[in-house]
Amino acid sequence: MIVLIVLGVIVLGLGGFVFWFLKIRDPLKGADFYKFHAEQKWAWELTLTPEQESAFMAGLEAYDDERGCYPMREPGILRVHRPMMLVSLFWMTEQFAAMGPGAVQDPVGAVQQLIRQAADGEIPGVLYNDDEWMGEGVEQIDGMDKYAFTSAIMSATSAASIDHEFAGGYADEDNGFLTMGVLAKNPAHVARMYDEAFATNGPQKPINSRLDVMREVMKPEDPAYTAAFDRAEAEKSKYINTLVFCFERVVKRYHEARPDMQYAEPRDVLSVVMARMLADGRAGCTWTRPPSQEQYDLALAILSNRD
């Protein structure tokens, strides 16, 4: 009987561990497995030493356990779930480093202090967002549901006639924010890194049929190519600045501008609205780091251009 009781306790214990492992702290949830690993890769991470970055990530993980957050590594943005806001990881790592040894010794307290500071006021690098950005009970804006509006706002940040480098962008229809990468041109050494990465992948085989497409899609990725391409992406990130918009504030300006642009396409109204927000320094948009004049002028040109 005692043996059966002991076995029962062991089985229950293992069952609890498996539930915790698979449902709560599952390391196989894709990107979540690497959510808080230190890698010294992206530009904002290089503000910190390896020791500082490990401590910083430990502080973020503790905050995530308590209130929820997610580092968007490539654009350098921390999504904070409670309170709901977007915080520049460039700003956070600079502040963390300025705290000195104390931040490494108490990273949990240091990160909590920084997030409290961000929550106290929408300073540059901090943007408050809202998952009810359409308005309470509102399902459409100017005939657009949240998906159509998100498509229009993304379209407003694209200007094919403006000469610039692709620098990424992302829009979240559920949490109400948009990111817009800004880069005039890749430096020569970054362009070479991409060329070298593509060279490791070998020549592109001709695609003449659907079967060729399927073979290309299903082909395992060459680790050498992946590593070289990742290095190029990380180097490129040093020269990209990211502009972030809050949907809620954009919608407010959209309603104000619409009567004077009643015959314009929604994307054109949004283009004008976001360009004005940037030019006038209005609340509802911010940069992940202070922009150069070239970056500011380029972002304004892209948003002002109505292809």
Side-chain angles (χ1 to χ4, degrees):
M1 179 63 71
I2 294 175
V3 173
L4 290 176
I5 293 173
V6 171
L7 285 173
V9 170
I10 292 172
V11 168
L12 286 173
L14 285 172
F17 173 78
V18 169
F19 178 82
W20 172 86
F21 185 80
L22 294 177
K23 299 295 184 183
I24 301 175
R25 300 296 290 179
D26 176 13
L28 301 178
K29 292 178 181 175
D32 279 358
F33 178 56
Y34 297 106
K35 195 172 179 182
F36 299 108
H37 75 297
E39 58 183 349
Q40 289 282 287
K41 177 180 177 181
W42 303 106
W44 56 270
E45 291 175 300
L46 302 179
T47 303
L48 304 173
T49 66
E51 180 188 22
Q52 287 173 326
E53 189 190 354
S54 295
F56 179 68
M57 290 299 179
L60 289 183
E61 186 167 13
Y63 191 88
D64 180 52
D65 285 340
E66 183 181 345
R67 301 179 71 84
C69 66
Y70 191 91
M72 299 171 66
R73 290 174 179 264
E74 190 169 353
I77 296 167
L78 181 72
R79 279 186 55 199
V80 180
H81 303 320
R82 287 188 301 154
M84 202 168 187
M85 59 183 173
L86 307 166
V87 185
S88 165
L89 283 165
F90 290 94
W91 176 80
M92 286 196 76
T93 51
E94 287 168 3
Q95 297 297 314
F96 190 89
M99 290 176 172
V104 175
Q105 293 164 9
D106 180 18
V108 175
V111 166
Q112 287 178 344
Q113 179 181 329
L114 290 173
I115 292 179
R116 280 197 304 269
Q117 186 177 339
D120 283 343
E122 211 175 39
I123 58 176
V126 176
L127 189 74
Y128 301 154
N129 61 307
D130 192 337
D131 54 4
E132 295 287 342
W133 57 271
M134 296 184 79
E136 190 174 350
V138 176
E139 294 185 0
Q140 288 194 340
I141 293 170
D142 201 13
M144 297 177 285
D145 63 14
K146 65 179 181 179
Y147 302 106
F149 183 91
T150 301
S151 177
I153 201 171
M154 280 294 288
S155 181
T157 65
S158 303
S161 60
I162 302 295
D163 185 22
H164 66 290
E165 199 80 37
F166 176 73
Y170 174 79
D172 189 322
E173 69 275 1
D174 291 321
N175 294 291
F177 70 90
L178 170 139
T179 73
M180 172 183 166
V182 179
L183 174 63
K185 187 173 179 60
N186 268 331
H189 75 283
V190 176
R192 282 196 302 272
M193 290 176 73
Y194 279 108
D195 289 341
E196 290 165 3
F198 295 138
T200 64
N201 211 25
Q204 175 69 50
K205 293 182 179 179
I207 296 177
N208 301 314
S209 66
R210 291 183 181 179
L211 182 59
D212 290 337
V213 173
M214 289 299 296
R215 284 172 177 162
E216 191 64 26
V217 170
M218 299 301 291
K219 182 178 69 176
E221 213 161 56
D222 182 354
Y225 164 75
T226 302
F229 187 82
D230 282 350
R231 286 193 296 271
E233 290 280 277
E235 185 65 17
K236 179 180 179 178
S237 78
K238 296 177 183 178
Y239 305 95
I240 294 174
N241 205 339
T242 301
L243 187 57
V244 192
F245 283 91
C246 160
F247 278 16
E248 184 181 26
R249 264 76 65 86
V250 171
V251 167
K252 179 182 177 183
R253 302 296 179 189
Y254 182 91
H255 287 313
E256 293 171 356
R258 196 46 161 154
D260 295 329
M261 301 181 68
Q262 54 184 309
Y263 300 112
E265 291 293 324
R267 62 150 288 178
D268 293 332
V269 181
L270 287 165
S271 174
V272 169
V273 163
M274 291 191 288
R276 286 177 182 169
M277 289 173 70
L278 177 60
D280 297 343
R282 294 180 179 179
C285 64
T286 193
W287 296 83
T288 52
R289 46 183 162 170
S292 66
Q293 190 63 48
E294 181 185 45
Q295 290 168 340
Y296 173 84
D297 290 344
L298 176 59
L300 193 58
I302 291 171
L303 290 171
S304 300
N305 188 76
R306 296 160 64 190
D307 291 336

